[in-house]
Amino acid sequence: MTEPTDTDTLPLHEDRLWRDGLWTARVIKNEEDDGWAVEMTRQGDPEPALVGPWTMGRDKKNPKPLDAAAFSTLVKTASEVIRRHEQQLHATLNKHVTVTARDDRRVRVSLAIVPDEDNPSATLSAHDDADDTELARVPVSPAFRLTAASAAAWIESDYARPR
C-alpha cells in the first residue's frame, strides 16, 4: 500500500475526479470503445477495486459529471466488491470438514493456510464438535488437500502429521 499524502485525504469534487473519505472516483476514457469508464480506488490501494462503464453527457462526446449521489452508489458497489473478494480469499485459505470418528464422536477438522510469497504455511487442527475442545494441531504443507477422507485418515492415524 502506498502512503497517502495530506492532499490525498482532502475532499475533492470535480466533474471527472471525486474524492471523499477513503475513496476516489475517476472518470477515464474507456480503452475498449469510444465511451467512458469510472474507476473506484480505495485510499492506499495500488489498483482500483472497481472499473465500470460511465454515462455519456448530453453532448454525446464527454462524460456525465460525477455528483454526490453517483459517488455514494459507487462507494457502496466498490465496498461490496472488496467485501466479496475478502470473503472468497478467506474461504480459499480456511477449510473445514466434520467427520465421525471410530468412537462415534463428531470431529471438526480445519485447515488454515497462511499465504506468504517466501514462506507459506498451513495448520491442520481437530476439535470435538460437541464442546469445541482442541484434540490436535499439526503443521502441514500449504498444498495439503482437506477432504472428508483425508480428515478421517488423519484421525485414524491418531493425528500423526500427514506427509
Side-chain angles (χ1 to χ4, degrees):
M1 279 181 121
T2 57
E3 290 297 319
T5 64
D6 287 342
T7 57
D8 290 339
T9 58
L10 295 175
L12 179 65
H13 302 143
E14 297 177 357
D15 286 353
R16 294 187 190 179
L17 179 64
W18 194 284
R19 182 177 48 236
D20 216 334
L22 294 175
W23 290 96
T24 300
R26 183 180 321 274
V27 177
I28 57 174
K29 189 75 174 139
N30 188 340
E31 296 174 8
E32 297 178 14
D33 65 21
D34 292 332
W36 296 90
V38 63
E39 62 181 22
M40 288 297 293
T41 307
R42 187 170 54 176
Q43 182 180 317
D45 286 355
E47 296 180 6
L50 174 72
V51 177
W54 189 244
T55 307
M56 291 283 222
R58 291 184 182 195
D59 66 3
K60 303 295 182 207
K61 292 180 184 176
N62 294 306
K64 176 181 164 188
L66 287 163
D67 60 27
F71 183 77
S72 177
T73 300
L74 289 165
V75 167
K76 288 178 186 173
T77 304
S79 296
E80 181 66 17
V81 167
I82 287 177
R83 189 181 68 77
R84 286 181 185 170
H85 174 74
E86 288 169 349
Q87 286 177 331
Q88 176 64 33
L89 181 61
H90 180 79
T92 301
L93 299 176
N94 297 279
K95 305 231 184 248
H96 310 279
V97 297
T98 301
V99 295
T100 303
R102 265 186 272 160
D103 58 3
D104 287 331
R105 176 172 42 175
R106 302 279 295 160
V107 178
R108 186 179 73 259
V109 178
S110 303
L111 174 66
I113 300 171
V114 178
D116 183 302
E117 287 184 30
D118 299 325
N119 191 21
S121 62
T123 303
L124 192 62
S125 62
H127 290 83
D128 186 306
D129 202 41
D131 63 9
D132 205 36
T133 303
E134 185 173 270
L135 304 171
R137 176 178 299 269
V138 296
V140 293
S141 163
F144 181 82
R145 298 294 247 181
L146 179 60
T147 64
S150 67
W154 182 48
I155 295 166
E156 292 294 317
S157 74
D158 288 327
Y159 306 105
R161 183 176 176 181
R163 301 208 181 267

